[in-house]
Amino acid sequence: MAAIAIVGGHGKISRHLIPLLVDAGHTPVALIRDPQQADDLTPLGARTRLLDIENAESDDFAEAFEGCAAVVFAAGGGPDGNIERKKSVDLGGSLKSIEAAQKVGIDRFLQVSAIGIDEDPPEDSGDVWKAYVQAKRDADAALRASSLRWTIIRPGALTDDEPTGRVLLGPQVERGEIPRADVAAVLAAVLDDNRTSGRQWELVSGPGSIHEAVTAALSS
């Protein structure tokens, strides 16, 4: 059906998302920094293109997006305690992706954010966490202000548990955990659903199927 660019293509959520996109008839285009990462992704059905999120400019992102119909921003600076990577990856990577998508005429954009980031973190939460929250908050604000058909998914605490296919989705939900595989399944479910454009939802494990959760969230 369409080529889908995935920024942060070797991330854990992305590796769950790739086969789901293939099953839906799409061609995942995973953007990776290390050429050796292709060995993990091509067996899943992805094509790969090289992109160094931190050092590339928006024109480089635009070149990587060429021929794609949508962008999924699923990159993150990682848990390494590096404040600068929160700024360069979580925020900078998103901003360059948004700009590049608009340059090449892509209008569909999904962004993986984080639950509760509109709330100021506690004073004792540490500088790294504060930087992360601010980066995600600013990235979401920039996407909402863009001309793109955006959907922002803000998952709770991520786990590597097996998927349950049961989630809770809404503008604001009680904090909780969710398997990365279920986050990927929600991304795949909303990608082609035009009704989800312009929606920002928090996501945790819950009682309903993904279809039921999306339907309920659309009515909220």
Side-chain angles (χ1 to χ4, degrees):
M1 293 174 64
I4 312 298
I6 306 174
V7 185
H10 194 256
K12 291 183 178 181
I13 291 175
S14 299
R15 278 177 273 169
H16 289 292
L17 177 61
I18 287 167
L20 297 177
L21 294 179
V22 172
D23 288 345
H26 294 304
T27 301
V29 178
L31 308 182
I32 55 176
R33 180 176 57 181
D34 182 351
Q36 294 183 344
Q37 293 173 337
D39 294 340
D40 297 328
L41 303 181
T42 52
L44 300 177
R47 298 178 184 175
T48 59
R49 296 176 184 172
L50 293 179
L51 182 72
D52 185 337
I53 293 174
E54 293 178 272
N55 296 310
E57 300 298 332
S58 63
D59 286 342
D60 302 310
F61 279 72
E63 183 177 352
F65 292 168
E66 196 63 44
C68 294
V71 173
V72 178
F73 185 83
D80 59 3
N82 188 324
I83 290 176
E84 290 307 312
R85 295 204 76 223
K86 310 306 178 196
K87 298 176 182 177
S88 61
V89 177
D90 294 272
L91 176 56
S94 175
L95 296 179
K96 288 182 281 190
S97 295
I98 293 166
E99 182 179 350
Q102 294 174 117
K103 281 182 179 179
V104 299
I106 295 171
D107 70 343
R108 186 67 171 124
F109 198 110
L110 271 57
Q111 183 150 281
V112 180
S113 183
I115 197 170
I117 58 169
D118 289 331
E119 304 169 12
D120 290 330
E123 285 299 319
D124 60 354
S125 59
D127 291 341
V128 173
W129 182 251
K130 291 176 182 177
Y132 173 78
V133 168
Q134 191 62 53
K136 288 296 189 187
R137 182 188 297 172
D138 290 348
D140 287 355
L143 182 54
R144 291 193 303 267
S146 75
S147 62
L148 300 170
R149 289 192 302 114
W150 53 266
T151 304
I152 297 170
I153 301 296
R154 292 176 155 184
L158 299 170
T159 76
D160 291 320
D161 294 341
E162 291 297 313
T164 68
R166 314 294 291 184
V167 302
L168 178 62
L169 190 68
Q172 189 171 13
V173 301
E174 187 174 345
R175 290 176 185 255
E177 295 183 341
I178 185 166
R180 289 176 171 86
D182 282 335
V183 177
V186 170
L187 293 172
V190 304
L191 176 64
D192 295 320
D193 190 337
N194 288 329
R195 299 173 302 165
T196 69
S197 297
R199 297 295 191 124
Q200 175 179 284
W201 290 321
E202 296 184 341
L203 171 66
V204 295
S205 293
S209 70
I210 290 172
H211 174 75
E212 291 168 342
V214 172
T215 299
L218 284 167
S219 64
S220 63

